[in-house]
């Protein structure tokens, strides 16, 4: 049974929902730009450190349930349609899945991370989904 109630993504639920809505509205060109930017950013040591910090903060804060609640909505947005696939077969995800997950998780614990870490984890979306 969920203990999250009306805030399935924790105190940052409104920001996470807003990001999901904007992600759903991205066209192919914007998605490709995000992926290209992410590939450059994710290859850096700074990004790897930020990603590790993100995982630690989620665990330390006890927001694993909120993290897990994100999987359903995100998968709906990033699953590649595979008409001939069997229901039990592995799904294929669009390339934007990884940067979207990093950005959503950073938003989810934004109140617990420093601004530089949040910026780094969401930077792939800077030109397409401003965080405000």
């Amino acid at each position: 049974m969920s203990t999250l109630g009306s805030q399935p993504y924790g105190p940052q639920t409104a920001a996470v929902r807003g990001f999901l809505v904007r992600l759903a509205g991205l066209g192919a060109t914007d998605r490709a730009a995000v992926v290209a930017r992410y590939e450059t950013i994710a290859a850096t040591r700074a990004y790897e450190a930020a990603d590790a910090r993100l995982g630690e903060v989620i665990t330390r804060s006890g927001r694993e349930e909120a993290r897990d609640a994100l999987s359903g909505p995100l998968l709906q947005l990033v699953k590649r349609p595979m008409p001939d696939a069997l229901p039990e077969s592995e799904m294929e995800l669009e390339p934007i899945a990884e940067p979207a997950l990093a950005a959503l998780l950073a938003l989810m614990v934004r109140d617990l991370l420093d601004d530089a870490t949040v910026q780094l984890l969401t930077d792939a979306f800077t030109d397409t989904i401003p965080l405000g």
Side-chain angles (χ1 to χ4, degrees), residues 9-94:
Y9 314 120
Q12 303 299 320
T13 292
V16 169
R17 284 182 173 150
F19 187 92
L20 286 166
V21 167
R22 291 187 300 264
L23 178 63
L26 289 184
T29 302
D30 284 335
R31 285 174 175 245
V34 167
V35 170
R37 187 169 170 96
Y38 175 75
E39 288 173 351
T40 300
I41 296 165
T44 66
R45 288 184 192 262
Y47 184 89
E48 289 176 13
D51 190 46
R53 208 164 25 259
L54 174 64
E56 292 167 5
V57 166
I58 290 170
T59 301
R60 220 177 38 243
S61 66
R63 292 192 188 169
E64 293 97 337
E65 190 175 351
R67 176 202 59 209
D68 296 346
L70 274 172
S71 64
L74 180 59
L75 284 176
Q76 291 302 313
L77 297 175
V78 299
K79 271 192 311 192
R80 280 205 169 138
M82 300 187 61
D84 298 331
L86 297 171
E88 63 276 355
S89 65
E90 283 190 34
M91 71 179 82
E92 190 172 326
L93 302 178
E94 293 181 25

Side-chain angles (χ1 to χ4, degrees), residues 107-119:
L107 285 176
M108 186 189 80
V109 293
R110 186 179 199 173
D111 56 317
L112 304 173
L113 285 173
D114 60 278
D115 290 342
T117 299
V118 172
Q119 177 63 40

